[in-house]
Amino acid sequence: MKLIKLLNNILFWQPSKDFLKIFENSVFGKICLIVLNYSIWIFFFIVSYFLIRHDINFFGRLFIITIIAEIIEKYFKKQKIWLRPMFKRRSTTPFGLVNKWYYSGSFPSGHTMKMVYFLLFVISTQVFSVPLFLVFTLPLLTFRVIAGFHYPIDMVGGIFFGTILWFFLKGIIFPDYFNNFIQPIFNLIFFIK
């Protein structure tokens, strides 16, 4: 019984202080909240560039894995297994965040799911610095727990699904005609000769 209670306390941990409220009390804090929430997508775009430039097959891999990850995330969040922890303290979504994305369930963390498969691709290719990747992403994911967007169990779910997706999609090789179609478009967009 004590072990179950301990696990529950760890997996559903939230700080006693309402850090989200602190962010919402100033214009600067609101801007930080938006930047901290969405900057990871810009970072993933940059990492995608390095992966695709290394091997054009990554365009298709990332496209498929992201679609599947979104489907998994949306399915589970629609089930509303549990709401986001921030809604224990408030009834509204913070300024600048898309309400319908946050009023669904909390499990699994989509940010974490994507971070894991990007990290595994980076580790397997060595085209981007792993320490730099972790220095950028881990604080953002930690922030999401501290701010009340997720419980630690949501992160565990993201790690699980991200790893499974990577495992099944890491070796996909797309046909030459597909890669030959994508390569010049990629080169044109990024001014590669």
Side-chain angles (χ1 to χ4, degrees):
M1 216 36 135
K2 286 183 181 180
L3 179 61
I4 292 172
K5 187 174 181 176
L6 176 65
L7 276 174
N8 191 49
N9 287 341
I10 292 170
L11 295 175
F12 289 92
W13 176 84
Q14 279 292 286
S16 56
K17 191 173 208 166
D18 188 353
F19 287 101
L20 192 53
K21 186 175 184 179
I22 294 169
F23 275 95
E24 291 181 305
N25 282 337
S26 71
V27 173
F28 177 73
K30 288 177 183 178
I31 292 169
C32 284
L33 188 63
I34 293 168
V35 169
L36 289 170
N37 195 51
Y38 295 119
S39 63
I40 200 164
W41 304 116
I42 296 167
F43 183 71
F44 287 157
F45 179 79
I46 293 166
V47 174
S48 295
Y49 164 79
F50 285 104
L51 289 168
I52 295 167
R53 185 153 184 189
H54 170 72
D55 179 356
I56 196 65
N57 277 294
F58 274 106
F59 176 84
R61 287 177 195 150
L62 292 172
F63 184 75
I64 289 173
I65 202 169
T66 302
I67 288 173
I68 295 171
E70 287 295 314
I71 291 168
I72 290 169
E73 180 186 357
K74 298 299 182 244
Y75 172 79
F76 280 100
K77 286 185 175 176
K78 274 191 173 179
Q79 305 308 308
K80 292 187 180 180
I81 299 169
W82 49 76
L83 288 178
R84 294 179 185 268
M86 68 180 171
F87 292 122
K88 288 186 173 185
R89 296 180 171 153
R90 69 183 32 80
S91 60
T92 59
T93 303
F95 170 80
L97 305 182
V98 180
N99 193 42
K100 75 177 192 172
W101 291 352
Y102 286 86
Y103 250 103
S104 61
S106 178
F107 180 86
S109 165
H111 284 73
T112 304
M113 192 183 320
K114 291 162 187 79
M115 185 279 275
V116 167
Y117 65 71
F118 269 100
L119 175 62
L120 293 170
F121 281 136
V122 165
I123 290 170
S124 67
T125 61
Q126 300 291 314
V127 297
F128 194 84
S129 166
V130 173
L132 179 61
F133 185 94
L134 293 172
V135 162
F136 188 83
T137 57
L138 289 179
L140 292 174
L141 296 178
T142 303
F143 160 77
R144 294 185 61 76
V145 171
I146 291 171
F149 295 139
H150 285 291
Y151 293 107
I153 184 93
D154 303 331
M155 303 309 198
V156 172
I159 291 167
F160 172 78
F161 286 118
T163 303
I164 295 295
L165 288 173
W166 173 81
F167 181 78
F168 284 109
L169 297 171
K170 67 181 175 166
I172 290 179
I173 304 294
F174 288 87
D176 287 340
Y177 67 85
F178 178 79
N179 291 334
N180 292 338
F181 175 75
I182 296 298
Q183 187 72 63
I185 296 169
F186 178 79
N187 293 350
L188 178 69
I189 291 170
F190 291 104
F191 305 105
I192 300 170
K193 293 183 179 184

